[in-house]
């Protein structure tokens, strides 16, 4: 449109408020709508049928030609619902079990189900975990915030929600927890016990550090040292546990108990009980006697250090 102006065949593909397209020489403001304030990211008119058809064809191509299993759509809450229904319907017609994920930083019931996404990125569920282990949230408030988020979506959608403790848009988990590996392991374990689809950001399995973007996108550490290898072994065991217990964790009852400075998450059905016990206090506490945990962090002899946990199955 810079070349052909109002005669461009793409005039109705964008939201243009003046000609020629660009910045007003006096105010320096753009005369077209953009995502955020990025001049190189003009906002597309998704109510235009030609635009809809083009974008749907692009997404269909990758499923039809390469059989991809999922799509993640950026800033999904800034696009109209009618377009999402059209696109999601077209993709499910090709691949009924495709996983369609929308990015959103807040509770987004309007984007989940109703012909739209299977899930959104579940930041409101996962961010309180970081605040909890950093001492910025007390146990009662953490339980309240988590229960509120667990009630936001129907159970089938809740099981598909995308749960992560660090992503390409956030500081790394290890950095957020100030390098404390015991808390790092405990936070990941709590994540794995919650409903939803847990995600491990690349490099988290060997405890890569990193601050805000772009520092959180450091090159993968292909030669982890001994300590980092131990973290990888822990994460491997944690993922194996989650996979083995996937059906149980999708359907079992969830209850919370606060015992002093310990947070206890219990998952129960008629055949099994899984319990995670997390020490959020400043002092060591005694471990549960007579029970052999399947996974721990921060435990020496019969004491659990601050930030530590023990995971049991009975």
């Amino acid at each position: 449109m810079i070349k052909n102006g109002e005669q461009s065949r793409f005039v109705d593909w964008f939201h243009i408020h003046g000609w020629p397209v660009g910045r007003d020489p006096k105010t320096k403001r753009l005369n077209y709508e953009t995502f955020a304030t990025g001049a190189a990211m003009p906002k597309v008119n998704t109510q235009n049928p030609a635009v809809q058809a083009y974008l749907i064809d692009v997404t269909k191509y990758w499923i039809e030609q390469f059989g991809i299993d999922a799509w993640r759509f950026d800033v999904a809450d800034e696009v109209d619902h009618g377009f999402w229904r059209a696109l999601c319907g077209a993709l499910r017609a090709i691949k009924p079990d495709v996983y369609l994920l929308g990015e959103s930083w807040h509770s987004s019931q309007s984007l989940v189900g109703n012909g739209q996404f299977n899930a959104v990125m579940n930041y409101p569920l996962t961010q309180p975990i970081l605040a909890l282990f950093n001492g910025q949230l007390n146990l009662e408030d953490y339980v309240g915030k988590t229960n509120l988020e667990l009630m936001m979506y129907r159970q089938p959608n809740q099981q598909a929600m995308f749960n992560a403790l660090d992503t390409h848009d956030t500081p790394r988990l290890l950095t957020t927890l100030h390098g404390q590996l015991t808390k790092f392991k405990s936070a990941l374990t709590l994540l794995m016990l919650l409903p939803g689809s847990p995600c491990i950001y690349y490099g988290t399995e060997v405890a890569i550090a990193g601050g805000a973007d772009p520092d959180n996108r450091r090159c993968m550490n292909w030669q982890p040292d001994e300590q980092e290898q131990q973290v990888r072994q822990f994460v491997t065991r944690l993922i194996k546990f989650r996979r083995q217990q996937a059906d149980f964790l999708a359907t079992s009852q969830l209850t919370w108990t606060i015992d002093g400075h310990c947070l206890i998450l219990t998952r129960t059905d008629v055949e099994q009980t899984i319990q995670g016990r997390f020490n959020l206090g400043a002092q060591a506490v005694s471990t549960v006697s007579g029970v052999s945990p399947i996974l721990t962090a921060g435990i020496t002899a019969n004491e659990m250090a601050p930030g530590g946990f023990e995971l049991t199955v009975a």
Side-chain angles (χ1 to χ4, degrees), residues 2 32 74 145 185:
I2 293 177
Y32 58 93
D74 213 37
K145 286 179 177 290
K185 294 176 181 179

Side-chain angles (χ1 to χ4, degrees), residues 49-71:
V51 172
Q52 292 188 11
Y54 175 80
L55 295 175
I56 290 172
D57 284 346
V58 169
T59 54
K60 287 169 59 178
Y61 170 84
W62 290 95
I63 296 176
E64 292 171 334
Q65 298 298 319
F66 300 100
I68 67 168
D69 296 313
W71 268 100

Side-chain angles (χ1 to χ4, degrees), residues 129 132-133 142 186-194 265 278:
I129 296 176
L132 175 69
F133 282 97
Y142 169 74
S186 295
L188 284 174
T189 301
L190 179 54
L191 176 76
M192 291 289 181
L193 290 173
L194 290 170
L265 172 54
F278 303 86

Side-chain angles (χ1 to χ4, degrees), residues 116-138:
Q116 297 178 90
F117 301 113
N118 298 91
V120 292
M121 299 184 74
N122 208 7
Y123 286 110
L125 183 78
T126 56
Q127 287 174 330
I129 296 176
L130 306 177
L132 175 69
F133 282 97
N134 271 330
Q136 300 164 329
L137 199 61
N138 64 40

Side-chain angles (χ1 to χ4, degrees), residues 174-227:
L174 184 66
T175 299
T176 299
L177 296 180
H178 308 288
Q180 300 181 71
L181 275 175
T182 298
K183 289 185 176 181
F184 175 96
K185 294 176 181 179
S186 295
L188 284 174
T189 301
L190 179 54
L191 176 76
M192 291 289 181
L193 290 173
L194 290 170
S197 298
C199 173
I200 304 294
Y201 184 38
Y202 85 92
T204 295
E205 71 274 21
V206 290
I208 286 181
D213 188 6
D215 190 42
N216 57 357
R217 308 188 192 205
R218 297 180 188 181
C219 292
M220 179 62 187
N221 179 10
W222 296 115
Q223 297 179 318
D225 60 25
E226 183 177 354
Q227 178 175 267

Side-chain angles (χ1 to χ4, degrees), residues 64-312:
E64 292 171 334
Q65 298 298 319
F66 300 100
I68 67 168
D69 296 313
W71 268 100
R72 173 193 174 274
F73 297 98
D74 213 37
V75 288
D77 55 335
E78 297 191 25
V79 178
D80 65 274
H81 297 285
F83 171 69
W84 287 136
R85 291 188 180 94
L87 184 145
C88 292
L91 298 186
R92 290 190 178 106
I94 302 169
K95 188 178 180 68
D97 64 346
V98 65
Y99 180 63
L100 301 177
L101 174 68
E103 185 208 25
S104 177
W105 286 79
H106 49 78
S107 299
S108 301
Q109 301 93 313
S110 63
L111 286 170
V112 176
N114 298 315
Q116 297 178 90
F117 301 113
N118 298 91
V120 292
M121 299 184 74
N122 208 7
Y123 286 110
L125 183 78
T126 56
Q127 287 174 330
I129 296 176
L130 306 177
L132 175 69
F133 282 97
N134 271 330
Q136 300 164 329
L137 199 61
N138 64 40
L139 303 187
E140 291 82 2
D141 287 346
Y142 169 74
V143 171
K145 286 179 177 290
T146 302
N147 283 342
L148 177 63
E149 287 305 318
L150 290 174
M151 295 297 293
M152 289 287 185
Y153 304 92
R154 296 177 300 171
Q155 186 177 13
N157 296 118
Q158 190 63 256
Q159 301 307 325
M161 294 295 281
F162 187 93
N163 298 344
L165 293 178
D166 51 5
T167 72
H168 62 289
D169 283 326
T170 72
R172 287 280 183 171
L173 175 59
L174 184 66
T175 299
T176 299
L177 296 180
H178 308 288
Q180 300 181 71
L181 275 175
T182 298
K183 289 185 176 181
F184 175 96
K185 294 176 181 179
S186 295
L188 284 174
T189 301
L190 179 54
L191 176 76
M192 291 289 181
L193 290 173
L194 290 170
S197 298
C199 173
I200 304 294
Y201 184 38
Y202 85 92
T204 295
E205 71 274 21
V206 290
I208 286 181
D213 188 6
D215 190 42
N216 57 357
R217 308 188 192 205
R218 297 180 188 181
C219 292
M220 179 62 187
N221 179 10
W222 296 115
Q223 297 179 318
D225 60 25
E226 183 177 354
Q227 178 175 267
E228 293 162 343
Q229 285 281 20
Q230 291 175 353
V231 173
R232 186 179 187 277
Q233 292 169 8
F234 170 84
V235 174
T236 299
R237 292 174 62 194
L238 185 59
I239 293 172
K240 182 179 179 180
F241 158 79
R242 171 74 190 206
R243 290 174 65 88
Q244 290 174 337
Q245 299 291 344
D247 291 341
F248 169 82
L249 292 171
T251 58
S252 57
Q253 182 178 356
L254 183 155
T255 57
W256 302 98
T257 306
I258 296 174
D259 180 13
H261 293 291
C262 284
L263 177 69
I264 302 170
L265 172 54
T266 305
R267 304 297 304 271
T268 308
D269 66 10
V270 295
E271 297 180 350
Q272 180 176 248
T273 296
I274 292 178
Q275 188 172 91
R277 184 168 177 258
F278 303 86
N279 180 10
L280 280 304
Q283 304 296 325
V285 298
S286 298
T287 57
V288 176
S289 60
V291 179
S292 297
I294 64 168
L295 207 58
T296 66
I299 290 183
T300 304
N302 295 318
E303 287 197 331
M304 179 163 43
F309 82 94
E310 53 186 340
L311 178 64
T312 60

